[in-house]
PDB file of all heavy atoms in Angstrom:
ATOM      1  N   GLN A  29     -22.440  -4.472  31.049  1.00  0.00           N
ATOM      2  CA  GLN A  29     -21.436  -4.083  32.026  1.00  0.00           C
ATOM      3  C   GLN A  29     -21.594  -4.956  33.258  1.00  0.00           C
ATOM      4  O   GLN A  29     -22.694  -5.393  33.575  1.00  0.00           O
ATOM      5  CB  GLN A  29     -21.616  -2.613  32.413  1.00  0.00           C
ATOM      6  CG  GLN A  29     -21.475  -1.670  31.240  1.00  0.00           C
ATOM      7  CD  GLN A  29     -21.795  -0.248  31.648  1.00  0.00           C
ATOM      8  OE1 GLN A  29     -21.978   0.048  32.836  1.00  0.00           O
ATOM      9  NE2 GLN A  29     -21.892   0.643  30.687  1.00  0.00           N
ATOM     10  N   PRO A  30     -20.510  -5.220  33.977  1.00  0.00           N
ATOM     11  CA  PRO A  30     -20.644  -6.003  35.205  1.00  0.00           C
ATOM     12  C   PRO A  30     -21.486  -5.256  36.228  1.00  0.00           C
ATOM     13  O   PRO A  30     -21.467  -4.032  36.295  1.00  0.00           O
ATOM     14  CB  PRO A  30     -19.203  -6.187  35.685  1.00  0.00           C
ATOM     15  CG  PRO A  30     -18.388  -5.206  34.937  1.00  0.00           C
ATOM     16  CD  PRO A  30     -19.134  -4.843  33.693  1.00  0.00           C
ATOM     17  N   LEU A  31     -22.253  -6.002  36.999  1.00  0.00           N
ATOM     18  CA  LEU A  31     -23.103  -5.393  38.013  1.00  0.00           C
ATOM     19  C   LEU A  31     -22.268  -4.882  39.174  1.00  0.00           C
ATOM     20  O   LEU A  31     -21.310  -5.513  39.597  1.00  0.00           O
ATOM     21  CB  LEU A  31     -24.110  -6.419  38.525  1.00  0.00           C
ATOM     22  CG  LEU A  31     -25.091  -6.955  37.494  1.00  0.00           C
ATOM     23  CD1 LEU A  31     -25.937  -8.048  38.117  1.00  0.00           C
ATOM     24  CD2 LEU A  31     -25.958  -5.854  36.949  1.00  0.00           C
ATOM     25  N   LYS A  32     -22.647  -3.737  39.684  1.00  0.00           N
ATOM     26  CA  LYS A  32     -21.965  -3.138  40.828  1.00  0.00           C
ATOM     27  C   LYS A  32     -23.018  -2.686  41.817  1.00  0.00           C
ATOM     28  O   LYS A  32     -24.112  -2.284  41.426  1.00  0.00           O
ATOM     29  CB  LYS A  32     -21.143  -1.922  40.380  1.00  0.00           C
ATOM     30  CG  LYS A  32     -20.041  -2.254  39.396  1.00  0.00           C
ATOM     31  CD  LYS A  32     -19.355  -1.000  38.945  1.00  0.00           C
ATOM     32  CE  LYS A  32     -18.393  -1.329  37.811  1.00  0.00           C
ATOM     33  NZ  LYS A  32     -17.887  -0.123  37.177  1.00  0.00           N
ATOM     34  N   PRO A  33     -22.712  -2.728  43.124  1.00  0.00           N
ATOM     35  CA  PRO A  33     -23.704  -2.248  44.095  1.00  0.00           C
ATOM     36  C   PRO A  33     -23.870  -0.732  43.987  1.00  0.00           C
ATOM     37  O   PRO A  33     -22.962  -0.007  43.589  1.00  0.00           O
ATOM     38  CB  PRO A  33     -23.117  -2.652  45.445  1.00  0.00           C
ATOM     39  CG  PRO A  33     -21.669  -2.831  45.190  1.00  0.00           C
ATOM     40  CD  PRO A  33     -21.523  -3.249  43.758  1.00  0.00           C
ATOM     41  N   VAL A  34     -25.049  -0.259  44.352  1.00  0.00           N
ATOM     42  CA  VAL A  34     -25.321   1.169  44.365  1.00  0.00           C
ATOM     43  C   VAL A  34     -24.456   1.814  45.442  1.00  0.00           C
ATOM     44  O   VAL A  34     -24.138   1.193  46.464  1.00  0.00           O
ATOM     45  CB  VAL A  34     -26.828   1.402  44.645  1.00  0.00           C
ATOM     46  CG1 VAL A  34     -27.152   2.885  44.683  1.00  0.00           C
ATOM     47  CG2 VAL A  34     -27.667   0.700  43.603  1.00  0.00           C
ATOM     48  N   LYS A  35     -24.077   3.063  45.226  1.00  0.00           N
ATOM     49  CA  LYS A  35     -23.224   3.768  46.180  1.00  0.00           C
ATOM     50  C   LYS A  35     -23.870   3.765  47.567  1.00  0.00           C
ATOM     51  O   LYS A  35     -25.071   3.981  47.699  1.00  0.00           O
ATOM     52  CB  LYS A  35     -23.014   5.203  45.710  1.00  0.00           C
ATOM     53  CG  LYS A  35     -22.046   5.979  46.550  1.00  0.00           C
ATOM     54  CD  LYS A  35     -21.835   7.355  46.008  1.00  0.00           C
ATOM     55  CE  LYS A  35     -20.846   8.093  46.879  1.00  0.00           C
ATOM     56  NZ  LYS A  35     -20.640   9.455  46.410  1.00  0.00           N
ATOM     57  N   ASP A  36     -23.095   3.511  48.590  1.00  0.00           N
ATOM     58  CA  ASP A  36     -23.520   3.442  49.992  1.00  0.00           C
ATOM     59  C   ASP A  36     -24.465   2.278  50.273  1.00  0.00           C
ATOM     60  O   ASP A  36     -25.220   2.300  51.231  1.00  0.00           O
ATOM     61  CB  ASP A  36     -24.190   4.755  50.436  1.00  0.00           C
ATOM     62  CG  ASP A  36     -23.242   5.933  50.351  1.00  0.00           C
ATOM     63  OD1 ASP A  36     -22.020   5.706  50.498  1.00  0.00           O
ATOM     64  OD2 ASP A  36     -23.705   7.062  50.137  1.00  0.00           O
ATOM     65  N   GLN A  37     -24.445   1.261  49.447  1.00  0.00           N
ATOM     66  CA  GLN A  37     -25.253   0.070  49.701  1.00  0.00           C
ATOM     67  C   GLN A  37     -24.317  -1.098  49.976  1.00  0.00           C
ATOM     68  O   GLN A  37     -23.343  -1.297  49.262  1.00  0.00           O
ATOM     69  CB  GLN A  37     -26.140  -0.252  48.503  1.00  0.00           C
ATOM     70  CG  GLN A  37     -27.067  -1.423  48.738  1.00  0.00           C
ATOM     71  CD  GLN A  37     -27.927  -1.702  47.514  1.00  0.00           C
ATOM     72  OE1 GLN A  37     -27.678  -1.185  46.440  1.00  0.00           O
ATOM     73  NE2 GLN A  37     -28.920  -2.536  47.693  1.00  0.00           N
ATOM     74  N   ARG A  38     -24.639  -1.877  51.012  1.00  0.00           N
ATOM     75  CA  ARG A  38     -23.783  -2.994  51.387  1.00  0.00           C
ATOM     76  C   ARG A  38     -24.114  -4.219  50.541  1.00  0.00           C
ATOM     77  O   ARG A  38     -25.256  -4.410  50.112  1.00  0.00           O
ATOM     78  CB  ARG A  38     -23.969  -3.317  52.860  1.00  0.00           C
ATOM     79  CG  ARG A  38     -23.497  -2.185  53.756  1.00  0.00           C
ATOM     80  CD  ARG A  38     -23.770  -2.408  55.214  1.00  0.00           C
ATOM     81  NE  ARG A  38     -23.631  -3.792  55.614  1.00  0.00           N
ATOM     82  CZ  ARG A  38     -24.230  -4.334  56.648  1.00  0.00           C
ATOM     83  NH1 ARG A  38     -25.029  -3.599  57.379  1.00  0.00           N
ATOM     84  NH2 ARG A  38     -24.054  -5.590  56.962  1.00  0.00           N
ATOM     85  N   LEU A  39     -23.132  -5.059  50.348  1.00  0.00           N
ATOM     86  CA  LEU A  39     -23.345  -6.318  49.661  1.00  0.00           C
ATOM     87  C   LEU A  39     -24.054  -7.293  50.591  1.00  0.00           C
ATOM     88  O   LEU A  39     -24.045  -7.116  51.815  1.00  0.00           O
ATOM     89  CB  LEU A  39     -22.003  -6.908  49.216  1.00  0.00           C
ATOM     90  CG  LEU A  39     -21.286  -6.161  48.090  1.00  0.00           C
ATOM     91  CD1 LEU A  39     -19.901  -6.755  47.874  1.00  0.00           C
ATOM     92  CD2 LEU A  39     -22.079  -6.235  46.817  1.00  0.00           C
ATOM     93  N   PRO A  40     -24.683  -8.342  50.045  1.00  0.00           N
ATOM     94  CA  PRO A  40     -25.344  -9.321  50.915  1.00  0.00           C
ATOM     95  C   PRO A  40     -24.346  -9.983  51.861  1.00  0.00           C
ATOM     96  O   PRO A  40     -23.148 -10.072  51.576  1.00  0.00           O
ATOM     97  CB  PRO A  40     -25.908 -10.350  49.942  1.00  0.00           C
ATOM     98  CG  PRO A  40     -25.860  -9.729  48.603  1.00  0.00           C
ATOM     99  CD  PRO A  40     -24.842  -8.648  48.641  1.00  0.00           C
TER     100      PRO A  40
END
Side-chain angles (χ1 to χ4, degrees):
Q29 299 174 8
L31 297 175
K32 298 176 188 170
V34 179
K35 185 178 180 182
D36 298 331
Q37 184 180 13
R38 295 175 36 205
L39 290 173

